[in-house]
Amino acid sequence: MTMAQEIARAIGSDVINVGEYAAGLAGDVHEQVYVWTREDISKAVNSGVDLVADELAKSERDTDLMNMVVNAVMTLLDNPHYTLDEVIQECYDEDPEEVRAWWAGW
């Protein structure tokens, strides 16, 4: 039984989405496997953004870019092969070209 199958059996396959790396681990695992909820990941990523923003963000553009990273991380958990344009389409009301224009001329 693979590690992913063991985790799904222990936690319940209806509440678990195993990442690609963890899914590739098989029976004889010699490293720790961590399990976090989506809420745990969201809280950690957002707390990291807040920490950096409080110390370093000098403009709304900085904050917007960090928030885009949060959106990308959370979206890629469910859709690991999404492009940036697909992340933007899922997370923003604007077209990808318009969102990309927010950072034009850097």
Side-chain angles (χ1 to χ4, degrees):
M1 185 175 295
T2 68
M3 179 58 66
Q5 292 168 330
E6 286 287 333
I7 293 169
R9 184 184 60 75
I11 296 175
S13 60
D14 57 326
V15 296
I16 189 166
N17 184 1
V18 178
E20 289 181 19
Y21 178 74
L25 297 175
D28 190 27
V29 176
H30 297 286
E31 62 183 280
Q32 285 186 299
V33 175
Y34 299 92
V35 178
W36 288 283
T37 66
R38 226 182 137 64
E39 185 177 328
D40 294 333
I41 295 166
S42 178
K43 183 177 179 182
V45 172
N46 279 291
S47 293
V49 164
D50 292 343
L51 181 71
V52 172
D54 289 347
E55 295 287 330
L56 300 175
K58 302 299 182 200
S59 70
E60 183 178 350
R61 187 165 63 172
D62 292 345
T63 303
D64 286 346
L65 186 58
M66 289 187 286
N67 287 327
M68 182 178 282
V69 171
V70 171
N71 288 329
V73 168
M74 297 309 296
T75 300
L76 291 173
L77 284 173
D78 293 324
N79 304 290
H81 301 290
Y82 263 25
T83 65
L84 179 58
D85 284 350
E86 290 169 318
V87 169
I88 292 170
Q89 289 169 345
E90 183 152 323
C91 297
Y92 295 86
D93 293 330
E94 295 84 1
D95 290 330
E97 297 78 26
E98 183 176 341
V99 173
R100 286 173 178 272
W102 297 347
W103 293 282
W106 268 21

